[in-house]
Amino acid sequence: MSEAFAVIVPLLNPNEPEVQIVEVHVAEGQKLAAGELLCTVETTKSTHEISAEREGYVVALGKAKGDKLRAGERLCWLADDASWVPPEEPEEDLVSDREALPQTMRITRPALELARASGLDLEDLPQDILITEAEVLRMISDGGGGVVKSDRPLDSSALIIYGGGGHGKALIDLIHAIGSYRIAGIIDDGLTVGVEIMGIPVVGGAAELRSLSEQGIRQAVNAVGGIGDMSSRTKVFERLQVNGFELPNLIHPSAWVEPSVSLEAGVQTFPHAYIGSEVRLGLGVIVNTAAVVSHDCNLADYVNIAPGALLAGNVTIGESVLVGMGVTINLHVNIGSGAMIGNSAVIKADVPAGQVVRAGTIWPRD
């Protein structure tokens, strides 16, 4: 081996780019032979062992049991010498085109797009740090800058859909079934303007949000389901709120929601779902087709309940949890924030934050 070799996390499931480390089997500086086991990772659907493709010393591991990694991310290096130092990491996705940017500004492209879409003056951004999307959102939240203000009246019948994928299609039918809204267009950065999704035109990407809000279209629906990457759904809510959009609750006519249920903004409830007595649903919760959320359940923000899932009474679910299709969760169970529950799993006890429970398994494991 003539040079250090990067060990890369594989893509195990095209619909789920994130894995969780179940066990790390090596230590920093340990020498391995080709084929020796490095770590075990899992998604909601499968478990995979990552082995050393070549011999070498483990360098820059920096990962532990429970950590989450994305496909394509480096796990570690295998080097000829345990004292080898990895090259300095390049700053990801930095804007290299200096046109129209302050001289000393260092900013990522998503942060720049959000700052411009939100009307922030680039001269007001800090010059002594790397500005990320999270930093721009913090500035907007702290100072109120960038939130759209318009004298145009709210068009109470109009809304836009953010996302033109499969969940967006389901929402188009849901909105048509409700019959109270006019869909003014679809926002999607990955689709060409003018393309139609089920007869609804794509009107642009995130940069169009401010213009639409100023026109009086200030209701929006988040159609990013976030399966495999719940943070993508959260970011859409942040962008919509920063640009002054209200988030209506969408309840399919065939769904049953008890009158004692408490709903935050942006809840989506699909056909034949049932929401029981004194349930609380947080911001942006999805309760998909034929799912049951029984009495006294408490679902935090951004939870996604897939079709056919069954939640018994007094279940508590933390923020940004994905509960897969056909999952059963027993009485009084707590699911920690960021957990992912695979399809058809049976949950009999509390699940820690960030835990991945594989499809078809019973939790806790034997």
Side-chain angles (χ1 to χ4, degrees):
M1 182 172 63
S2 59
E3 59 183 22
F5 175 77
V7 179
I8 304 300
V9 176
L11 178 62
L12 303 181
N13 175 7
N15 295 318
E16 192 175 347
E18 195 172 60
V19 302
Q20 184 174 44
I21 296 178
V22 178
E23 197 68 52
V24 177
H25 304 286
V26 297
E28 183 73 15
Q30 180 177 339
K31 186 174 183 180
L32 299 180
E36 283 196 72
L37 186 59
L38 282 161
C39 73
T40 304
V41 298
E42 66 180 6
T43 69
T44 60
K45 297 179 173 62
S46 65
T47 299
H48 180 79
E49 293 181 340
I50 299 178
S51 300
E53 295 186 34
R54 305 180 184 182
E55 69 172 18
Y57 292 90
V58 177
V59 175
L61 179 60
K63 304 295 187 294
K65 180 177 179 179
D67 286 352
K68 289 186 177 181
L69 300 171
R70 292 183 66 83
E73 189 174 342
R74 188 178 59 255
L75 175 68
C76 65
W77 297 88
L78 294 175
D80 289 325
D81 190 325
S83 63
W84 177 80
V85 178
E88 189 173 331
E89 292 290 333
E91 293 170 319
E92 293 185 10
D93 203 19
L94 279 179
V95 177
S96 56
D97 181 3
R98 304 306 304 171
E99 183 180 356
L101 292 183
Q103 182 84 19
T104 60
M105 174 172 285
R106 297 165 60 243
I107 186 169
T108 65
R109 192 163 299 281
L112 178 61
E113 292 173 356
L114 178 59
R116 285 175 171 166
S118 303
L120 290 181
D121 187 340
L122 298 182
E123 296 289 347
D124 293 337
L125 298 180
Q127 305 294 303
D128 57 344
I129 63 171
L130 171 62
I131 302 170
T132 63
E133 190 173 27
E135 177 66 18
V136 173
L137 287 167
R138 184 194 63 76
M139 292 181 64
I140 292 168
S141 176
D142 290 348
V147 178
V148 174
K149 297 178 176 63
S150 173
D151 294 330
R152 297 277 293 274
L154 172 68
D155 183 345
S156 61
S157 67
L159 56 71
I160 59 166
I161 295 176
Y162 196 120
H167 191 61
K169 292 179 179 180
L171 281 166
I172 289 172
D173 276 336
L174 171 57
I175 292 165
H176 287 331
I178 294 171
S180 302
Y181 299 100
R182 173 179 63 86
I183 304 174
I186 293 171
I187 293 290
D188 195 309
D189 291 295
L191 296 176
T192 303
V193 174
V195 169
E196 292 192 351
I197 307 295
M198 296 176 62
I200 308 298
V202 174
V203 296
E208 286 297 311
L209 290 174
R210 185 179 183 86
S211 173
L212 290 165
S213 186
E214 289 174 342
Q215 294 170 36
I217 301 173
R218 295 201 292 275
Q219 296 186 104
V221 178
N222 187 347
V224 176
I227 295 176
D229 181 12
M230 296 296 281
S231 65
S232 61
R233 179 171 174 79
T234 305
K235 288 181 179 178
V236 170
F237 278 119
E238 291 169 344
R239 288 180 175 176
L240 291 173
Q241 291 173 311
V242 160
N243 284 281
F245 284 89
E246 298 178 4
L247 306 169
N249 291 322
L250 302 178
I251 310 296
H252 192 276
S254 68
W256 188 270
V257 179
E258 299 291 0
S260 57
V261 171
S262 172
L263 303 176
E264 297 295 326
V267 170
Q268 301 168 9
T269 303
F270 284 83
H272 305 295
Y274 173 73
I275 316 295
S277 302
E278 296 199 331
V279 166
R280 180 195 173 275
L281 301 182
L283 174 67
V285 168
I286 298 172
V287 181
N288 222 309
T289 305
V292 173
V293 181
S294 299
H295 64 88
D296 299 300
C297 288
N298 190 337
L299 278 56
D301 297 347
Y302 316 125
V303 170
N304 187 338
I305 306 296
L310 303 175
L311 279 61
N314 288 106
V315 170
T316 299
I317 299 184
E319 185 173 306
S320 299
V321 169
L322 172 64
V323 176
M325 294 186 295
V327 167
T328 299
I329 302 179
N330 287 9
L331 278 162
H332 302 291
V333 165
N334 296 321
I335 311 292
S337 298
M340 301 179 71
I341 313 300
N343 296 344
S344 301
V346 176
I347 308 301
K348 295 184 175 182
D350 293 354
V351 177
Q355 179 68 48
V356 175
V357 178
R358 296 201 310 275
T361 59
I362 297 175
W363 180 271
R365 300 167 180 161
D366 295 333

